[in-house]
Amino acid sequence: MYNVLPNVTENTKIMLLGFSREGQSSYRYIRKLYPDLTIYIHDIREIDTSTLTNVVTVCGEKYLEHLEQYDMILKSPGIVLTPQQVASCRVLTSQTELFIQAFGNRVIGITGTKGKSTTSSLTYHVLNKIDPNTFLVGNIGIPCFDCIEQLNEESLVVFELSCHQLEFIHCSPHVGIILNFFEEHLDHYGTYENYKNAKKHIYEYQTKEDHLLCNENILAEISPLSHVTTVGESTTADVCVNTRTITVPSTHTTFTVEEQDTHLLGLHNIYNIAMVYAIVSLYHTVSAEDFLRYISDFEPLAHRLKYIGTYSDIYFYDDSISTACETTISALQSIPNVDTVLVGGMDRGIDYTELEDYLLHVYTHNVILMPDSGYRVYEELLSKVDESALQRFHKVKDLEEAVSLSKKITAKDHACVLSPAAASYGFFKDFAHRGDCFIGFVKNTE
């Protein structure tokens, strides 16, 4: 098996910081390479060591202490470190960094505040139809170490990259994609600039031999050395998107993605499809007809503008992935006949002005507001308009009550969509848990 840790010996003191899916993957990988190596594991949660061999664990509130004792620390993306803790580490690395250092020439790295899971999955879906020697890893839920044994010199790896995976790396993939920047994770990064700076690592270590694909609106904010391909609405974009029509002037290619050509809803997904076409075109010559055929059977990922069924004569959609104002607005613009939207969740301090103005002046139907951010939206609206103007805004105590109310106030043969514009933490394990609960409440709540 290829060794991404060539300088490690049986005496190297390696610590896995975090032992969820990625940490467990790192353990399996290291154990195959070094059967007798003692592996140190730190996690705030208790760890079941019954199936582990030759490990030392540190669990509980003190799991971030004494980081300086280790020769190498492999950090899981979800662990937050202070600058002082980072400075105390001898070598702080991760699966992402080690994998890109070893295999970066065959990696397609995709990041962005929104759309990266759909774009990564669709890129893999199309490339895999052309060449099955293609793999999908990363933030999508598949640790990159899990595919190492299957790789060869011709393999391509589509790698979905979150800000947390990019934050501490000192390398970039051969092909990098930035879909967009929206305010997100401000509870962790403090400022929008810090958040964007973490994302920018996807190209900052590229050379002129590499490729960066990005939305044309981002170009003014970045200074890559690599070859840049832009996707956008203007005629100067390398890939131009005009409503549902995609044009590539350099190859005189134009095609329209009709509604029947894809299961993906919304014009924002036409941008994602255009980006996928640009990515695939770096590796293969593919006709518009073949490309449309390849994308036609791609099913939307769970909790991303997903139609879940008709109940009480109401069409319900799950967009639990939405944690930003822009994505909620896109959802309301993408789904036909929306009469009710469910908004609110963990308040991470993002600016809700754009969404508030949209809900108040453009979207004129029911808005159900859940704690905590939904309550803040209501209070901020009260500072702008009289309470009598907010009669279609309804505060509820939780998601279950929101679903129950939606069945009472949503017009028959219209849609109700969960698109919270907020994180799920503090109320749910993650956005998938929130979406699953929403589906359960829709099916069972009267």
Side-chain angles (χ1 to χ4, degrees):
M1 179 164 52
Y2 188 94
N3 187 354
V4 302
L5 302 166
N7 298 320
V8 170
T9 70
E10 296 293 350
N11 297 318
T12 304
K13 199 170 182 181
I14 291 183
M15 186 253 276
L16 305 181
L17 184 52
F19 202 63
S20 294
R21 180 180 290 147
E22 186 168 304
Q24 293 168 29
S25 168
S26 296
Y27 168 82
R28 293 191 298 270
Y29 176 77
I30 296 171
R31 181 55 72 227
K32 285 182 180 179
L33 290 171
Y34 303 98
D36 300 321
L37 178 71
T38 298
I39 300 176
Y40 297 81
I41 306 172
H42 288 218
D43 198 300
I44 194 168
R45 301 169 303 175
E46 289 298 319
I47 297 169
D48 179 5
T49 60
S50 60
T51 60
L52 310 180
T53 60
N54 206 11
V55 298
V56 176
T57 62
V58 176
C59 302
E61 297 298 327
K62 296 185 178 182
Y63 81 110
L64 292 179
E65 294 183 2
H66 307 301
L67 302 181
E68 72 285 350
Q69 295 181 355
Y70 298 94
D71 299 314
M72 178 183 291
I73 297 174
L74 271 72
K75 188 184 83 68
S76 293
I79 306 295
V80 178
L81 297 179
T82 66
Q84 294 76 18
Q85 289 168 329
V86 172
S88 72
C89 300
R90 298 181 195 175
V91 176
L92 178 65
T93 188
S94 62
Q95 274 204 12
T96 299
E97 182 169 61
L98 294 170
F99 188 91
I100 293 177
Q101 284 174 347
F103 306 108
N105 64 325
R106 64 195 83 171
V107 171
I108 302 166
I110 300 176
T111 197
T113 308
K114 295 299 170 188
K116 57 184 177 292
S117 292
T118 294
T119 304
S120 298
S121 299
L122 184 57
T123 299
Y124 166 75
H125 180 81
V126 174
L127 286 173
N128 190 62
K129 285 179 177 289
I130 301 171
D131 182 359
N133 192 12
T134 306
F135 300 86
L136 176 64
V137 302
N139 192 60
I140 197 75
I142 306 168
C144 56
F145 278 12
D146 286 1
C147 81
I148 288 178
E149 288 187 90
Q150 305 170 66
L151 298 181
N152 58 46
E153 292 297 324
E154 305 302 320
S155 300
L156 282 179
V157 180
V158 181
F159 202 140
E160 183 193 341
L161 291 163
S162 70
C163 54
H164 301 308
Q165 287 171 303
L166 291 166
E167 184 174 6
F168 294 111
I169 69 170
H170 301 86
C171 53
S172 298
H174 172 54
V175 175
I177 294 91
I178 303 176
L179 298 172
N180 45 52
F181 291 136
F182 300 134
E183 278 193 337
E184 185 69 289
H185 298 296
L186 300 190
D187 54 324
H188 171 57
Y189 290 98
T191 69
Y192 186 29
E193 284 304 312
N194 288 341
Y195 165 68
K196 288 191 289 187
N197 288 338
K199 291 279 194 187
K200 290 177 182 179
H201 287 167
I202 199 166
Y203 73 83
E204 285 188 333
Y205 300 95
Q206 287 186 324
T207 71
K208 62 181 180 179
E209 305 300 322
D210 299 316
H211 296 268
L212 175 69
L213 293 80
C214 66
N215 189 305
E216 64 176 342
N217 297 330
I218 294 173
L219 203 55
E221 302 184 47
I222 61 178
S223 53
L225 296 175
S226 47
H227 177 79
V228 176
T229 298
T230 58
V231 177
E233 294 183 4
S234 77
T235 55
T236 59
D238 297 303
V239 180
C240 180
V241 180
N242 183 359
T243 312
R244 304 190 72 92
T245 298
I246 298 170
T247 302
V248 185
S250 63
T251 60
H252 306 288
T253 301
T254 298
F255 60 96
T256 300
V257 184
E258 304 290 358
E259 290 187 13
Q260 65 268 22
D261 292 328
T262 177
H263 298 294
L264 295 171
L265 296 175
L267 294 180
H268 64 285
N269 271 317
I270 304 300
Y271 277 88
N272 294 335
I273 290 170
M275 186 66 78
V276 171
Y277 183 79
I279 297 167
V280 172
S281 297
L282 290 176
Y283 294 94
H284 303 283
T285 300
V286 56
S287 68
E289 293 76 16
D290 284 343
F291 180 74
L292 290 172
R293 180 165 51 85
Y294 294 151
I295 70 172
S296 64
D297 60 351
F298 178 77
E299 291 292 338
L301 301 177
H303 314 300
R304 295 161 175 86
L305 278 183
K306 185 83 170 183
Y307 172 65
I308 61 175
T310 301
Y311 300 87
S312 304
D313 298 320
I314 298 166
Y315 309 113
F316 283 92
Y317 289 83
D318 171 16
D319 191 36
S320 181
I321 189 68
S322 171
T323 57
C325 297
E326 294 84 354
T327 53
T328 294
I329 292 171
S330 291
L332 295 175
Q333 293 172 337
S334 302
I335 298 171
N337 297 320
V338 178
D339 192 52
T340 302
V341 59
L342 279 56
V343 171
M346 179 184 178
D347 190 349
R348 293 199 277 192
I350 67 173
D351 183 358
Y352 278 102
T353 302
E354 182 181 7
L355 179 60
E356 290 166 357
D357 289 345
Y358 185 86
L359 295 175
L360 194 61
H361 301 297
V362 181
Y363 176 76
T364 58
H365 299 279
N366 303 304
V367 181
I368 298 179
L369 299 167
M370 303 174 291
D372 291 321
S373 60
Y375 285 18
R376 174 158 73 90
V377 166
Y378 190 85
E379 294 304 315
E380 290 177 356
L381 287 173
L382 273 180
S383 68
K384 301 176 183 180
V385 298
D386 186 82
E387 189 170 9
S388 61
L390 301 180
Q391 293 183 4
R392 58 190 177 83
F393 290 77
H394 311 271
K395 291 197 294 182
V396 295
K397 69 176 186 297
D398 55 26
L399 180 58
E400 184 173 13
E401 184 179 342
V403 172
S404 179
L405 178 60
S406 74
K407 291 188 175 183
K408 297 174 183 176
I409 65 176
T410 304
K412 303 302 182 184
D413 299 319
H414 284 65
C416 170
V417 55
L418 169 69
S419 191
S424 56
Y425 304 114
F427 302 95
F428 302 94
K429 179 181 177 182
D430 52 27
F431 76 89
H433 181 213
R434 174 169 62 187
D436 290 340
C437 289
F438 173 68
I439 294 170
F441 294 145
V442 166
K443 292 181 177 180
N444 299 311
T445 301
E446 294 300 333

